[in-house]
Amino acid sequence: MTQYREILRLHSQGISQRNIVVSCACSRNTVSKIILRAEELGITLPLEKDLTDGELRQRLFAEVEKQPSENNELASDQFIGFLKKIIDSVTVNEIPIELRSLIAKLFNWIPISQYEQVQRLLVKLNTV
């Protein structure tokens, strides 16, 4: 698990991002995102003592995670359209079982607004 508190603590002490990466065993992108997001939100040390890393993560990225982007909506529309073409052009038996289960897993990121359409495709694949 990412050590959000430790990353912010080390950064506040002037430790370089490169050294934070080594100390916290995470990627440079992760360290950079956490520091930038904390600065954007005005989150500074000292933090509340009982604030967990999970709660800090929620504070830092809750807004980002909640807002579906237009690109995701467009991508999901394109994905569903692409799968419809594939499913309509072959019989279900021609699609390997492994691929059917992979397709079913990919549908997890489709917005709820398209659930009914997704459900029909999954039924057609015999994966529900």
Side-chain angles (χ1 to χ4, degrees), residues 37 41 43 48 51 54-62:
R37 190 68 179 146
L41 297 174
I43 296 175
E48 300 94 64
L51 184 68
E55 292 167 334
L56 182 55
R57 177 185 144 307
Q58 188 70 21
R59 282 189 191 176
L60 290 169
F61 299 107

Side-chain angles (χ1 to χ4, degrees), residues 80 84 107 110-124 128:
I80 289 174
K84 276 182 164 179
F107 276 119
I110 299 296
I112 291 176
S113 61
Q114 297 173 331
Y115 176 78
E116 193 173 302
Q117 191 174 16
V118 169
Q119 190 68 19
R120 283 193 300 259
L121 289 172
L122 291 175
V123 167
K124 190 168 182 178
V128 176

Side-chain angles (χ1 to χ4, degrees), residues 27-44:
S27 73
R28 284 190 335 216
N29 287 339
T30 297
V31 170
S32 179
K33 284 179 190 177
I34 291 169
I35 292 169
L36 284 172
R37 190 68 179 146
E39 289 172 355
E40 286 172 4
L41 297 174
I43 296 175
T44 58

Side-chain angles (χ1 to χ4, degrees), residues 5 8 18 34 37 42-43 54 61 76 79 89-90 103 125 127:
R5 292 179 69 96
L8 294 178
R18 189 171 296 206
I34 291 169
R37 190 68 179 146
I43 296 175
F61 299 107
S76 65
F79 181 68
S89 66
V90 297
I103 291 169
L125 285 174
T127 58

